[in-house]
Amino acid sequence: MTHIFEPAARLGLIPPYLFKAIDEKKEEVKARGVDIIDLGVGDPDLPTPRFIVEKMQKAVKDPSTHRYPLYSGMNLFREAVARWYLRRFGVVLDPESEVLTLIGSKEGLAHLPLGINDPEDINLMTTPAYPVYQMGTLFAGAYCHFLPLTRENDFLPELKSISPLVARDAKAFFFNYPNNPTAAVADKKFFSQVVDLCREYNIVAVHDAAYTELAYDGFQPPSFLEVKGAKEVGVEFHSLSKTYNMTGWRLGMAVGNREVLAALGKIKSNIDSGAFNAIQIAGIAALDSDQSCVRDNCRIYQERRDLLVGGLQKLGYDVNPPKASFYVWLPVPKGFTSMSFTTHLLEQTGIVTIPGNGLGTPGEGYVRLALTVPKERIKEALRRLKKIG
Ligand SMILES: Cc1ncc(COP(=O)(O)O)c(C=O)c1O
């Protein structure tokens, strides 16, 4: 008898992978011997600061870190998160009930719907977006209601356009500022409007704040929890990944509303067993540091931003310098789609970008570039762009 395996029907909910053709093209171009400049991945090329690595080296030698961690995170780490939130945002958190340690914020964002959604609920979310809000929602059997981000609205969702019928059935609202992929930023006025909406319709606000520490020209992006009433209606997800160049370490946190965090914690305690204690000890060193490593990081990204955006503007591209995040959201030239421009760049210049439509329909007409390569590579990318005209 032949063994027939059928994967779970829920895997069929995953939208088509639009980057497949690009991945194949990239391999093809590479095989031709072209020197690829990868501006596609949002993964810092800079190393984790030395003092954090050294803290980890010491912690990993201590056998007490080798045992199962507390699923909600070490008390000492959660206290360090509370100290950091107070210092950075003036937000007071109870480390015990208002901070939950995550194995990277992606893990928490993906698991949250399992703790808060019933099948057929609706979750509101902005689009284009980091895909995990959608996937977590679909895996929990709930539906997505997308709020488009467009240039005309400064890439902020039009909250007034949400029909009361949809809002009444909505359970959660996922939003993310500084935004991936548009690099847009939000102010406290917008966050207050979100609080009002969520309060009126009993919606859980879910703010993804992964990029608040990567900001330029002295700008300091706010936390959602800075606005009045935010903690009553929602939670914020944060991460050490981009702030301290620790994407591979897998350490993040969810903070805010204790009931929502308890629901997420219950799911997590039945799925994972927490983040490695040695990593949390290194994380404490990062959060408690004087943050000069973050300022150094931002200085480097800002130089790259100025070089890339200035160069693109000189070449006639209609693009603005981002105030925060390490992305440049570039409108494609007339006559191209996101996909055809991505392919054109790859074939003609060896430059890899992300087609905007792959992150959500309103992303059509844009490509995303990441500032995660050294200045020399950006200069080379600009030289090649100039050459093709
Ligand atoms: C908007 C956004 N949120 C969350 C994450 C996940 O970060 P991590 O799981 O490393 O904390 C990313 C990663 O690229 C992201 O772009």
Side-chain angles (χ1 to χ4, degrees):
M1 265 216 337
T2 45
H3 178 238
I4 298 170
F5 167 70
E6 286 285 351
R10 89 170 53 79
L11 296 191
L13 299 171
I14 301 173
Y17 180 66
L18 291 186
F19 303 131
K20 187 163 178 271
I22 300 296
D23 290 348
E24 284 167 6
K25 180 68 65 190
K26 187 169 147 185
E27 288 314 310
E28 190 190 307
V29 173
K30 234 190 223 169
R32 270 197 262 133
V34 174
D35 164 33
I36 296 275
I37 302 177
D38 198 338
L39 303 180
V41 283
D43 189 357
D45 58 317
L46 303 163
T48 307
R50 252 225 354 238
F51 74 94
I52 302 174
V53 175
E54 282 167 1
K55 193 74 186 181
M56 170 73 172
Q57 284 171 325
K58 209 162 146 217
V60 84
K61 285 187 188 150
D62 173 358
S64 74
T65 65
H66 301 173
R67 310 189 65 185
Y68 281 122
L70 210 60
Y71 84 86
S72 53
M74 290 174 80
N75 292 337
L76 289 175
F77 178 75
R78 287 183 289 152
E79 284 163 15
V81 169
R83 277 195 298 278
W84 184 82
Y85 254 80
L86 184 62
R87 235 181 322 129
R88 168 66 177 86
F89 300 115
V91 169
V92 177
L93 297 169
D94 170 23
E96 210 170 301
S97 61
E98 294 178 336
V99 180
L100 184 63
T101 307
L102 303 172
I103 309 172
S105 62
K106 179 179 187 178
E107 175 265 300
L109 287 161
H111 283 142
L112 179 71
L114 293 178
I116 65 173
N117 282 124
D118 287 313
E120 314 213 341
D121 275 353
I122 292 176
N123 285 344
L124 308 174
M125 59 195 69
T126 58
T127 183
Y130 183 56
V132 174
Y133 323 135
Q134 181 184 1
M135 296 310 163
T137 298
L138 295 176
F139 288 163
Y143 296 114
C144 304
H145 181 88
F146 296 108
L147 304 174
L149 302 183
T150 63
R151 199 176 198 180
E152 297 74 56
N153 296 314
D154 298 325
F155 301 106
L156 291 167
E158 274 197 272
L159 301 181
K160 286 202 184 83
S161 74
I162 305 168
S163 135
L165 287 177
V166 171
R168 266 209 311 261
D169 285 346
K171 190 65 184 272
F173 173 28
F174 289 81
F175 55 107
N176 157 232
Y177 292 97
N179 184 257
N180 172 14
T182 68
V185 295
D187 58 13
K188 288 197 233 173
K189 190 168 151 237
F190 170 74
F191 288 158
S192 282
Q193 290 164 357
V194 174
V195 170
D196 291 345
L197 172 84
C198 291
R199 199 183 263 148
E200 183 175 353
Y201 291 102
N202 230 357
I203 297 170
V204 179
V206 184
H207 183 231
D208 178 354
Y211 293 95
T212 58
E213 303 318 290
L214 303 185
Y216 313 114
D217 309 316
F219 174 60
Q220 290 214 309
S223 158
F224 173 63
L225 296 182
E226 283 180 54
V227 303
K228 206 162 155 257
K231 218 195 270 181
E232 279 86 75
V233 299
V235 287
E236 182 159 89
F237 284 78
H238 223 303
S239 169
L240 278 71
S241 286
K242 315 289 161 120
T243 309
Y244 304 106
N245 305 328
M246 290 174 72
T247 47
W249 297 56
R250 313 313 301 134
L251 189 59
M253 59 276 201
V255 299
N257 187 281
R258 60 186 69 190
E259 281 88 28
V260 177
L261 295 184
L264 173 57
K266 205 161 185 176
I267 293 293
K268 277 175 60 58
S269 66
N270 285 285
I271 290 182
D272 67 61
S273 299
F276 183 21
N277 280 343
I279 292 179
Q280 293 187 66
I281 289 168
I284 295 169
L287 293 169
D288 279 343
S289 73
D290 64 8
Q291 309 301 299
S292 55
C293 61
V294 185
R295 288 190 290 276
D296 292 346
N297 242 1
C298 291
R299 214 169 296 128
I300 293 170
Y301 287 130
Q302 186 170 321
E303 280 179 21
R304 293 175 179 179
R305 175 201 70 166
D306 293 344
L307 183 64
L308 180 63
V309 174
L312 289 169
Q313 286 171 337
K314 255 190 228 149
L315 291 174
Y317 287 90
D318 171 24
V319 60
N320 298 318
K323 287 200 183 103
S325 84
F326 51 41
Y327 299 115
V328 173
W329 191 232
L330 180 71
V332 302
K334 270 206 172 69
F336 284 100
T337 62
S338 295
M339 205 52 101
S340 69
F341 191 57
T342 302
T343 310
H344 174 75
L345 286 184
L346 194 46
E347 277 178 346
Q348 301 299 316
T349 66
I351 298 170
V352 178
T353 59
I354 297 280
N357 65 319
L359 298 167
T361 313
E364 180 50 72
Y366 293 87
V367 294
R368 192 193 75 182
L369 316 179
L371 299 167
T372 47
V373 298
K375 277 198 297 191
E376 269 321 306
R377 299 298 280 163
I378 294 177
K379 281 185 196 158
E380 174 59 20
L382 289 168
R383 269 194 292 273
R384 294 186 196 175
L385 286 171
K386 189 171 177 193
K387 218 162 150 188
I388 63 162

